[in-house]
């Protein structure tokens, strides 16, 4: 603590990102990165931008990328908001749309950045308990609020909420913004973007970090009614009017233009997810149904913290959350077939 800190800084509890360890021969299954890498067309597009134009500022509106994303999702470019990763997009959402003097609602087991943003922007947050099977119950969101946000599929559980249930939440809260955070939607879910023209209070947030393998490039976006997008742009242009650099815009655009690579990558992850889930079930794990690029599982006898430690000693890193309700679970990113084989083999010894 420093005497030069603002009072707010002293009270903040920052988000703790997944570990990025530097270990030789590491099997890294802790941060939900895509194991298959970006499209070669992304690399080509970035290399093509490595020229004298880097002395110039990028397009502050990201118009070409916005148009590409809009065309892909059958919306207007004016309905697309870009940010430096979906975390920045979420930060602007909290600042621009959630400060209404009432608590915002989010699940009790969810993305832990939500309460961090509440602290940063002095917003009251209310955690709504998931069901006993770790599902979102739309009925629980029929209460006074200043806005609602939840991931779909949820993180870290991986459970997916069907669009008919998303609509239940939207219809019950027509005067408040409902944000659906779809970081993992491409691994088996159905996007709520198709609902934005029907519900002016809906904002859908996505990222290129997961399904399009661009975690290192930092590109995220939101899609919704133009009134919501205008509000986000007012905050963005008061904070950083150039959030995406030239390389990020070029690479992201190329990623959307290689649909075959995208579909192959997602199919590979989905196939391996089902294989790993089956193998873990055979080893005595309870595995929650997942539509993400990870699985959430707990062993029926062995504590999660102990398993995570024993895997680490073998050079296999998974994510363990020492939090209420989920302390015995492991969140396991789906890796390559070879990485997943190492995981399964690594679990057999401590479970023997």
């Amino acid at each position: 603590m420093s005497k030069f800190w603002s009072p707010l800084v002293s009270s903040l509890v920052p988000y703790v990102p997944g570990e990025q360890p530097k270990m030789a021969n590491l099997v890294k299954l802790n941060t939900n990165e895509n194991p298959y890498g970006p499209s070669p067309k992304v690399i080509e597009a970035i290399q093509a931008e490595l020229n004298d134009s880097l002395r110039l500022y990028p397009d502050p509106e990201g118009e070409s990328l916005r148009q590409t994303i809009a065309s892909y999702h059958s919306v207007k470019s004016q309905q697309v908001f870009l940010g430096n990763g979906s975390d920045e997009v979420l930060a602007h959402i909290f600042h621009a749309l959630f400060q209404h003097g009432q608590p915002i609602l989010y699940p009790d087991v969810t993305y832990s950045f939500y309460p961090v943003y509440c602290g940063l922007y002095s917003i009251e947050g209310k955690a709504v308990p998931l069901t006993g099977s770790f599902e979102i119950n739309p009925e629980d969101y029929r209460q006074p609020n200043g806005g609602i946000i939840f991931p779909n599929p949820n993180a870290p559980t991986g459970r997916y909420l069907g669009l008919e249930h998303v609509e239940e939440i939207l219809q019950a809260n027509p005067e408040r913004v409902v944000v659906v955070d779809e970081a993992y939607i491409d691994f088996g879910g159905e996007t709520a973007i198709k609902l934005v023209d029907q519900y002016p209070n809906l904002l859908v947030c996505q990222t290129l970090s997961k399904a399009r393998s661009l975690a290192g490039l930092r590109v995220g976006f939101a899609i919704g009614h133009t009134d919501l997008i205008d509000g986000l742009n007012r905050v963005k242009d008061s904070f950083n009017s150039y959030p995406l650099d030239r390389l990020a815009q070029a690479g992201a655009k190329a990623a959307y233009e290689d649909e075959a690579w995208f579909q192959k990558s997602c199919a590979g992850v989905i196939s391996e997810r089902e294989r790993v889930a089956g193998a873990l079930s055979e080893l005595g794990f309870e595995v929650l149904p997942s539509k993400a690029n990870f699985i959430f599982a707990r062993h029926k006898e062995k504590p999660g913290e102990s398993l995570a430690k024993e895997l680490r000693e073998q050079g296999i890193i998974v994510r363990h959350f020492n939090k209420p309700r989920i302390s015995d679970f492991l969140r396991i990113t789906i890796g390559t077939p070879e990485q997943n084989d190492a995981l399964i083999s690594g679990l057999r010894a401590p479970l023997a």
Side-chain angles (χ1 to χ4, degrees), residues 65-77 80 223:
L65 175 57
R66 286 170 55 231
Q67 185 58 61
T68 296
I69 293 172
S71 296
Y72 187 89
H73 290 291
S74 300
V75 297
K76 300 181 179 70
S77 63
V80 180
I223 293 178

Side-chain angles (χ1 to χ4, degrees), residues 104-122:
I104 69 162
L105 308 180
Y106 48 76
D108 66 331
V109 180
T110 196
Y111 188 31
S112 54
F113 231 138
Y114 300 159
V116 171
Y117 286 140
C118 284
L120 179 61
Y121 295 118
S122 300

Side-chain angles (χ1 to χ4, degrees), residues 98 148 150 169-170 173 176-180 201-204:
F98 281 166
I148 295 170
F150 58 90
I169 296 175
L170 287 163
N173 297 275
R176 294 301 185 208
V177 173
V178 176
V179 178
V180 184
N201 61 324
L202 170 63
L203 194 66
V204 181

Side-chain angles (χ1 to χ4, degrees), residues 48-335:
E49 285 293 318
L50 295 174
N51 53 52
D52 184 62
S53 67
L54 290 180
R55 66 186 176 83
L56 303 173
Y57 284 110
D59 176 5
E61 304 298 329
E63 180 56 34
S64 181
L65 175 57
R66 286 170 55 231
Q67 185 58 61
T68 296
I69 293 172
S71 296
Y72 187 89
H73 290 291
S74 300
V75 297
K76 300 181 179 70
S77 63
Q78 297 93 325
Q79 293 177 272
V80 180
F81 175 82
L82 300 177
N84 190 351
S86 62
D87 286 335
E88 182 182 76
V89 175
L90 290 170
H92 291 331
I93 289 170
F94 273 69
H95 204 177
L97 304 175
F98 281 166
Q99 296 190 341
H100 294 290
Q102 288 183 301
I104 69 162
L105 308 180
Y106 48 76
D108 66 331
V109 180
T110 196
Y111 188 31
S112 54
F113 231 138
Y114 300 159
V116 171
Y117 286 140
C118 284
L120 179 61
Y121 295 118
S122 300
I123 299 169
E124 183 182 355
K126 182 177 180 180
V128 179
L130 296 174
T131 68
S133 55
F134 295 96
E135 296 177 275
I136 291 173
N137 180 1
E139 290 297 317
D140 294 335
Y141 291 83
R142 293 178 178 270
Q143 56 178 293
N145 65 80
I148 295 170
I149 185 169
F150 58 90
N152 197 31
N154 194 18
T157 66
R159 300 210 68 145
Y160 171 70
L161 186 68
L163 289 190
E164 69 275 16
H165 300 304
V166 173
E167 286 198 79
E168 289 180 43
I169 296 175
L170 287 163
Q171 291 166 1
N173 297 275
E175 301 303 317
R176 294 301 185 208
V177 173
V178 176
V179 178
V180 184
D181 185 355
E182 293 187 340
Y184 304 99
I185 194 66
D186 296 310
F187 298 107
E190 184 179 11
T191 180
I193 290 174
K194 63 178 61 179
L195 301 176
V196 296
D197 287 335
Q198 185 177 348
Y199 296 97
N201 61 324
L202 170 63
L203 194 66
V204 181
C205 185
Q206 290 195 9
T207 177
L208 277 71
S209 294
K210 312 301 182 183
R212 298 184 191 275
S213 305
L214 295 180
L217 208 55
R218 314 310 301 130
V219 180
F221 64 90
I223 293 178
H225 191 279
T226 54
D227 288 349
L228 301 181
I229 302 304
D230 288 346
L232 294 177
N233 279 320
R234 289 175 69 86
V235 169
K236 185 264 288 185
D237 289 336
S238 301
F239 176 76
N240 177 11
S241 56
Y242 297 99
L244 288 184
D245 62 46
R246 287 177 171 271
L247 305 186
Q249 292 187 37
K253 190 172 186 296
Y256 264 95
E257 291 171 348
D258 194 344
E259 182 69 8
W261 184 274
F262 165 71
Q263 292 293 343
K264 181 180 178 181
S265 175
C266 290
V269 170
I270 292 170
S271 176
E272 280 297 293
R273 181 185 68 205
E274 301 312 308
R275 182 175 76 89
V276 173
L280 292 186
S281 295
E282 291 178 2
L283 289 172
F285 281 85
E286 173 194 359
V287 183
L288 297 187
S290 175
K291 293 291 187 182
N293 68 336
F294 59 84
I295 54 179
F296 204 52
R298 63 181 167 190
H299 195 261
K300 297 174 183 177
E301 299 176 0
K302 192 91 169 181
E305 185 176 12
S306 174
L307 283 172
K309 182 179 179 181
E310 293 186 55
L311 284 172
R312 187 183 184 88
E313 291 171 353
Q314 301 177 61
I316 303 168
I317 310 297
V318 298
R319 191 83 186 264
H320 172 257
F321 299 91
N322 187 19
K323 294 183 177 182
R325 300 188 69 187
I326 60 171
S327 60
D328 280 335
F329 279 87
L330 299 177
R331 192 196 68 189
I332 303 170
T333 303
I334 300 303

